[in-house]
Amino acid sequence: PEPAERIAAAQVLGEVGLGSFYQPLVPLLRDPDSRVQRAALLQAGRLRNRKLWPLVLDTLDSPRLWRAAAATLVAAGTPVVPQLIAASEREGRSPEVQARLIEICGRIGGQRATAWLKGQLSHPDAGIRSHIVHALHRCDYQAQAEEAALVQQQIQVEVARSAETLAILKDIGNDGAVQLLRQALDETLAQNRERIFFLLSFLCDRRAILQACENLALPSAEKRAYALEVIDVLIPRALKGMVFPLLTDLPPGQKGQQLWALFPQPQQDRLQRLREIIAGPAGRFNPWTQACALYAAGELSATAVSETAAAAHFAPEPLVRETAAWTLSKLDGPAYRDQILA
């Protein structure tokens, strides 16, 4: 009955190190005490019996245990990759767990993990795409001739998303009510640009491209100019016109003008843009950006957004739900309180 003794039992099983003698570890992996579970997870990595992997995978959604589970799966190496892929493709996986599975694949590496990650480059969730390019970078991925076109196509997708974000920034205005939303959209642009750099590193000299990315963030104008020269020399000509506007120090409006010539954007009013962000498809905008749009709607007393905010009250992310509730209370408290409680 003592957790300390069960922890000791898990450690002994790991030190014995017989993969065939894994059964006593199974109840410890399901133990109600998280300390025992953590000890059992770490020792499962030493036993390396494939029958333990489903139990280890089940703990990836635990805030307390997922790091220990990840370390165990990485220690298991390439034999566990097929189960990682199957777990990622299972319906109902949260973005957090999907990101963890992708990170583990990247840390393990190998042909199977790299091939699967390449196939995920066009994932609809922008945050997941960031994890994918980071994982491919860990795998030292370089696109072969037949793959280069797919990488270039994904760069075009990321640039088109950036053009859309710049159009949203233009349409929502610049007053105090939308400042938090503008900051969130600026961060979206920065993440787009980071993904573009990783994608470029799959096509070109990876070290030179990523060093140029770092130099563009430095205060030295000379180093930024040199970084642009390096990128100009390295990247394919077909990509220069769409990538360079995102790398310069131009104001967002001027960057947008250059990109909108390639990726035309419809002009919309502020409220249309708020509704677009709040009700956007899963993964298009992260929960923080959606919460900022809801907050802006509340600050603007934008009753035209009430119906969209009411739908967001049932979003899967707690941050979005809670902000939607606050927004609805600002816009029409009694009416929407009755509607939601009903």
Side-chain angles (χ1 to χ4, degrees), residues 142-155:
Q142 285 292 128
Q144 302 303 312
E146 65 276 11
E147 300 165 349
L150 293 175
V151 175
Q152 291 193 38
Q153 182 179 355
Q154 190 57 38
I155 291 172

Side-chain angles (χ1 to χ4, degrees), residues 4-279:
E5 293 184 3
R6 299 200 299 280
I7 290 170
Q11 292 168 345
V12 169
L13 287 166
E15 289 175 15
V16 170
L18 291 176
S20 59
F21 188 53
Y22 72 93
Q23 293 92 339
L25 201 61
V26 171
L28 300 178
L29 286 167
R30 295 171 171 158
D31 198 277
D33 191 304
S34 62
R35 296 168 298 174
V36 178
Q37 279 188 291
R38 186 178 294 106
L41 284 167
L42 295 174
Q43 302 313 317
R46 300 174 73 176
L47 296 186
R48 299 192 177 194
N49 188 303
R50 62 184 181 84
K51 293 183 180 179
L52 295 174
W53 303 146
L55 295 173
V56 176
L57 286 164
D58 285 344
T59 61
L60 283 176
D61 60 354
S62 167
R64 293 184 175 183
L65 298 172
W66 76 264
R67 288 181 176 83
T72 295
L73 293 165
V74 171
T78 53
V80 80
V81 168
Q83 293 197 47
L84 292 170
I85 294 171
S88 178
E89 293 174 349
R90 196 176 304 154
E91 287 187 15
R93 284 291 186 194
S94 69
E96 291 81 8
V97 173
Q98 281 207 344
R100 291 163 190 169
L101 290 163
I102 289 164
E103 179 187 340
I104 294 165
C105 278
R107 290 170 63 186
I108 292 173
Q111 292 184 351
R112 182 70 184 273
T114 303
W116 177 69
L117 290 166
K118 285 187 298 185
Q120 303 298 307
L121 273 174
S122 59
H123 196 284
D125 188 304
I128 296 295
R129 292 201 304 277
S130 289
H131 287 284
I132 290 165
V133 294
H134 277 275
L136 282 169
H137 172 68
R138 274 183 174 269
C139 295
D140 294 326
Y141 171 61
Q142 285 292 128
Q144 302 303 312
E146 65 276 11
E147 300 165 349
L150 293 175
V151 175
Q152 291 193 38
Q153 182 179 355
Q154 190 57 38
I155 291 172
Q156 183 172 335
V157 169
E158 298 292 352
V159 176
R161 292 296 192 192
S162 299
E164 182 183 20
T165 303
L166 287 165
I168 294 172
L169 281 166
K170 175 177 177 289
D171 291 342
I172 63 172
N174 198 27
D175 52 60
V178 296
Q179 285 308 305
L180 204 59
L181 177 57
R182 292 187 68 87
Q183 291 172 19
L185 291 169
D186 285 339
E187 179 60 26
T188 297
L189 280 173
Q191 291 168 0
N192 283 356
R193 190 168 87 158
E194 182 186 61
R195 287 193 294 272
I196 289 168
F197 269 110
F198 274 109
L199 290 165
L200 288 172
S201 77
F202 302 153
L203 297 173
C204 313
D205 183 327
R206 56 182 284 167
R207 181 175 296 180
I209 286 290
L210 295 177
Q211 183 63 55
C213 175
E214 291 181 10
N215 288 342
L216 282 173
L218 296 176
S220 168
E222 183 180 351
K223 289 189 175 181
R224 294 200 305 273
Y226 178 69
L228 289 173
E229 289 179 17
V230 169
I231 295 166
D232 186 43
V233 169
L234 290 177
I235 71 174
R237 180 177 298 178
L239 297 176
K240 291 180 183 179
M242 64 178 73
V243 168
F244 263 82
L246 293 171
L247 310 183
T248 63
D249 296 330
L250 292 173
Q254 293 183 38
K255 289 181 181 181
Q257 291 294 340
Q258 295 181 28
L259 289 180
W260 299 332
L262 299 171
F263 304 98
Q265 301 294 320
Q267 184 173 357
Q268 300 184 38
D269 64 38
R270 171 187 279 182
L271 299 186
Q272 286 175 311
R273 289 299 192 185
L274 293 179
R275 285 193 291 265
E276 177 185 346
I277 295 169
I278 296 166

Side-chain angles (χ1 to χ4, degrees), residues 278 294 297 305-314 320 324-325 327-328 331 340:
I278 296 166
L294 284 161
V305 184
S306 296
E307 186 175 342
T308 308
H313 189 268
F314 302 98
V320 177
T327 301
L328 292 169
L331 298 180
I340 289 166

